[in-house]
Amino acid sequence: MKAIRVHTFGGSEVLQLDDVPDPTPGPGQVVVRVRAAGVNPVDTYVRSGNYAMLPTLPYIPGNDCAGVIETVGEGVTRFKKGDRVYVVRTTTQLSGGYAELALCDAPMVHTLPANVSFSQGAAVSVPYGTAYRGLHHKAHARPGETLLVHGASGGVGVAAVQLAVAHGMTVIGTAGTERGRRLVQEHGAHQVLDHTAPDYLKKLMELTGNHGADVILEMLANVNLQKDIDVVARFGRIVVIGNRGTIEINPRGTMGKDAAIFGLALWNAAPEEMASIHAALGGGLANGTLRPVVGQELPLKEAARAHEAVLKPGAYGKIILIP
Ligand code: NAP
């Protein structure tokens, strides 16, 4: 099969299209014929060698993908050849999602409802899983509360907006471009702000009658954490999802409000938490509540271009690779 491989950590130029042997499933595993693979910012951190957990070289990048079952290993009864599925995690070291075929442990594979395209399916696992974990497992967000999605135009942000609106929250989302702000509004945010405008958080305080946001999902904490502390409500919860550097904060701002700051890494979710996340997401996908947004589709061989694009400002849903 054709697959993108990384033989040495580095810039996007290290992503190369190789011919590699087809994977075969062991007991409890399946092979998925990949029709679409999601590109996440984390794929770029791993590729550059700047990440807490690094695979052994060479490796096939990517985790999130969707396609059809090609072969099933011994003991797998949930799936048969041809079933439409999305993948939560491939068996990374051996086989990633940027390939024509991906090897997966069967529990990491879920049915893709007929109303959801393969590209949308490849946009589910990390973005929706992270947004769900942030909202429900970390912040314990409640209907009626106000949520700030600080960076709502990208993969995680759009997912968070849809999940929170369905949960009965008042949602304020931010984006840096007019196109991004329109997208956030189209997906149900009640108010949309421009995180490049100097006074946008003053506007948030006005919109909430000076209450602030009960929950904040933060996509760029090294820029925004102090601002989040300033606008979080009393008893509020800030969840750090994205961070690309350091920031000085004054913790005093959290004290009078009894506010909490949580870190989140999706891979820390226990298997039973992952199962509950995907039970919820499967339901939301099937009934149309969750509608992953595909902003750009590129051929697999253009993985390098996708890695450059995912780090640029002006996010618009997901970037997808098509094998
Ligand atoms: P993405 O699709 O590239 O979106 C990035 C988002 O950040 C966009 O909405 C972008 O808005 C926004 N942003 C840019 N500048 C901002 C600012 N000054 N203030 C607030 N938001 C700003 O990325 P993603 O997949 O949604 O992921 C978002 C972040 O979370 C990334 O850093 C990613 O690595 C991280 N992440 C972490 C986990 C975890 O387990 N902790 C899981 C998934 C993702 P504009 O482009 O409109 O300016």
Side-chain angles (χ1 to χ4, degrees), residues 62-122:
N63 235 331
D64 297 4
C65 57
V68 293
I69 297 287
E70 178 77 8
T71 40
V72 298
E74 196 190 313
V76 176
T77 53
R78 270 173 67 222
F79 298 111
K80 59 179 187 327
K81 187 176 167 72
D83 285 350
R84 300 174 88 250
V85 292
Y86 74 90
V87 171
V88 171
R89 193 182 301 144
T90 57
T91 58
T92 357
Q93 296 277 348
L94 294 165
S95 167
Y98 293 14
E100 289 176 326
L101 296 167
L103 181 66
C104 314
D105 293 329
M108 290 294 126
V109 176
H110 295 280
T111 298
L112 184 69
N115 58 317
V116 184
S117 71
F118 290 119
S119 289
Q120 287 179 305

Side-chain angles (χ1 to χ4, degrees), residues 134-147 164 167 169 214-215 217 237:
L135 263 185
H136 296 294
H137 294 178
K138 294 289 162 191
H140 298 285
R142 294 184 290 270
E145 288 191 314
T146 296
L147 169 72
H167 192 49
M169 301 185 80
D214 299 296
V215 176
L217 298 186
R237 291 84 75 205

Side-chain angles (χ1 to χ4, degrees), residues 4 6 10-15 38-48 59 61-62 98 244 296 298 300 302-312 319 321:
I4 296 290
V6 170
S12 59
E13 71 284 352
V14 302
L15 296 163
V39 176
N40 286 298
V42 68
D43 303 345
T44 71
Y45 317 151
V46 174
R47 184 216 69 223
S48 68
Y59 76 98
Y98 293 14
R244 291 184 181 160
Q296 206 180 346
L298 292 168
L300 182 63
E302 292 192 30
R305 192 146 76 87
H307 272 215
E308 284 152 26
V310 79
L311 292 182
K312 285 194 184 136
I319 299 173
L321 292 171

Side-chain angles (χ1 to χ4, degrees), residues 36 49 59 80 97 103 125 161 175 185 211 236 239 257 269 278 286 289 295 307:
Y59 76 98
K80 59 179 187 327
L103 181 66
S125 174
V161 168
Q185 189 158 38
H211 174 80
V239 185
K257 296 176 179 174
H278 287 280
T289 304
H307 272 215

Side-chain angles (χ1 to χ4, degrees), residues 237-261:
R237 291 84 75 205
I238 299 166
V239 185
V240 175
I241 291 177
N243 183 66
R244 291 184 181 160
T246 57
I247 181 173
E248 187 176 311
I249 59 161
N250 185 347
R252 176 158 293 277
T254 62
M255 293 162 64
K257 296 176 179 174
D258 265 28
I261 302 173

